[in-house]
Amino acid sequence: MDNRGKFTSNFGFIMAAVGSAVGLGNLWAFPYKLGANGGFAFLLIYIIMIFLVGFILIIAELAIGRKTKLNPVGAFRALNKKFAFAGWFGIVAAFLILSFYSVLGGWSIKYFFTYIMDIFGKGFGDLSGEAFFNNFISDPVQPLIFTAMFIGIIFFISIAGVEKGIEKSAKIMMPMLFFILVIVIIRSVTLPNAMEGIKFIFKPDFSFLSNGKFGEVIAAALSQMFFSLSLGMGAMITYGSYLKKDANIEKNAILIPLFDTLIAVMAAIAIMPAVFSFNLDPAAGPGLLFVVLREVFASIPFGDIFGAAFFLLVIFAAVTSGVSLLEVVSSYFIDEKKFSRKKSASIVCSTCFALGIPVSLGFGLLKDVKLPQLNGVFVNILDFYDYVGEYVLMTLGAFILCIVVAYVIKPKTIVMEVEANGNVFKSKKYWCFMMKFITPLLVLLTFLTATGILNFQLIL
Ligand code: PHE
């Protein structure tokens, strides 16, 4: 048990859990989806989905973790032997997501250093944002060195333990992330034409209510929410397993999505006005952060300093999420195989690095390799990992979690855990009703649409 550890304060837990939630998903997926799916209308639907699905699942995951004090595989097994496989989905998802996350985290580290060097005139040189980016990601070796650096950072945080590593680093990085974001927002909204960007993200477009796209907007909000809240793959079970008995799970289940959504909206306000101010393409994906923002930073005063600050923020967001992904698998080895923290983290980190090699090469040597999704579309290696981890395993894992909680162990098991230590579970009736009847259906809808089994015109 020595290797397990515990969060020392609820503030520390919140910072770590929000750290897991706030990641690349908030920074480049949310701003674009917000704009493309109806602006303020999408935000409203997103918030409603948090009440119908996110809040319900976070309570379930945290309570399962704290009750069993185990990793996802052990936790599901402790609830019901037949469902240990659901924990395995989480482990595989964590491996896949961490592998591509580390490659992207590595790119962010490279950009951070390049902006710093650019202050001294030695960074991007004469290359355009796009040429620099393409040269870098198609290189067979360089991105892998930065991937290794990213993995090294999360390795050292992890082996320092839950309290001294995960909790402490999140307590430093998350407030700093917030602070940098505020500064970038101030810069962004004071650029000429910034209002266009604000309009793009917030213009309330309710036309989907009448043009038959209602289901699509809901599905887009749901799939974004799953990834953003780190749900359905055991991250919240794992962090819940380090939570003290007197912590108020219900309150935490409100605070985590609140901060996650706040930061996602703030990221949108920080990025989109700048994109519009320079007449650039607001399209989603890595290009937005690495290529488009380069054009912005290249043309404003002190742009390199803002660029370096921005990529520091991206690194903080990616590291705190990466640490939680690593912890899902590490905790499995620690609990089940009785390995030391160091040995567990070493196994996971080296495997993720190995799995990250094809992802990285997928932008150079292996760029012609395309893998199939269930809807018949072929994608590159990174998108394939993302597809299997995020869209297939996380949503399926969440669906099985719903079934286990609602119909196998029954909601009262969770209710008792939330009420442990005399805590009052204010939304108990609402939570039980949703858990049994509404949430599982919405999660099933997410699984079917996100995987492409049910063919909506989704903007994923
Ligand atoms: N929530 C993270 C993001 O928004 C991703 C993540 C998924 C982290 C699953 C941990 C577990 O980028």
Side-chain angles (χ1 to χ4, degrees), residues 272-301:
M272 287 306 168
V275 171
F276 276 82
S277 178
F278 288 87
N279 252 328
L280 299 166
D281 178 13
L288 184 66
L289 293 193
F290 297 102
V291 182
V292 175
L293 287 186
R294 168 73 200 130
E295 305 299 325
V296 176
F297 292 131
S299 28
I300 59 176

Side-chain angles (χ1 to χ4, degrees), residues 20-21 23-26 97 101 227-230 233 235 321 324-325 394:
S20 169
L24 300 174
N26 300 55
I97 297 172
Y101 225 83
F227 189 70
S228 196
L229 290 176
S230 312
M233 44 75 67
S321 295
S324 75
L325 286 158
M394 282 176 77

Side-chain angles (χ1 to χ4, degrees), residues 229-430:
L229 290 176
S230 312
L231 289 174
M233 44 75 67
M236 290 297 156
I237 295 182
T238 310
Y239 276 10
S241 76
Y242 305 134
L243 196 55
K244 282 189 185 159
K245 270 287 180 225
D246 58 2
N248 186 330
I249 291 184
E250 188 184 30
K251 199 173 89 195
N252 289 341
I254 294 174
L255 289 178
I256 297 166
L258 188 79
F259 284 128
D260 184 61
T261 310
L262 178 71
I263 293 184
V265 173
M266 285 171 72
I269 299 175
I271 295 169
M272 287 306 168
V275 171
F276 276 82
S277 178
F278 288 87
N279 252 328
L280 299 166
D281 178 13
L288 184 66
L289 293 193
F290 297 102
V291 182
V292 175
L293 287 186
R294 168 73 200 130
E295 305 299 325
V296 176
F297 292 131
S299 28
I300 59 176
F302 305 108
D304 286 330
I305 296 175
F306 282 105
F310 182 79
F311 277 95
L312 189 63
L313 176 163
V314 179
I315 295 170
F316 287 165
V319 163
T320 45
S321 295
V323 164
S324 75
L325 286 158
L326 168 57
E327 197 59 22
V328 169
V329 196
S330 262
S331 65
Y332 166 79
F333 286 113
I334 292 171
D335 295 342
E336 310 286 321
K337 306 279 175 219
K338 308 281 175 250
F339 288 172
S340 70
R341 203 161 243 292
K342 205 168 179 180
K343 183 169 172 187
S344 309
S346 311
I347 297 174
V348 185
C349 286
S350 43
T351 312
C352 278
F353 181 70
L355 287 170
I357 294 174
V359 173
S360 183
L361 297 182
F363 295 93
L365 285 178
L366 301 180
K367 70 172 179 307
D368 295 325
V369 177
K370 299 278 181 247
L371 299 162
Q373 298 180 164
L374 283 173
N375 57 1
V377 176
F378 281 71
V379 291
N380 69 20
I381 304 175
L382 186 149
D383 287 343
F384 183 74
Y385 279 35
D386 185 24
Y387 173 77
V388 178
E390 177 180 349
Y391 297 124
V392 180
L393 293 174
M394 282 176 77
T395 54
L396 194 55
F399 182 63
I400 300 167
L401 177 95
C402 287
I403 301 302
V404 171
V405 171
Y407 301 105
V408 182
I409 61 167
K410 304 281 174 359
K412 69 168 187 305
T413 318
I414 302 291
V415 169
M416 277 163 65
E417 184 59 35
V418 177
E419 288 179 339
N421 232 347
N423 276 319
V424 185
F425 190 172
K426 295 199 189 101
S427 59
K428 177 161 73 183
K429 285 212 177 84
Y430 167 76

Side-chain angles (χ1 to χ4, degrees), residues 89-108:
F89 282 2
I91 302 275
V92 177
F95 262 124
L96 289 173
I97 297 172
L98 186 55
S99 305
F100 79 76
Y101 225 83
S102 302
V103 173
L104 298 174
W107 292 2
S108 311

Side-chain angles (χ1 to χ4, degrees), residues 102 106 174 441:
S102 302
M174 294 316 288
L441 282 178

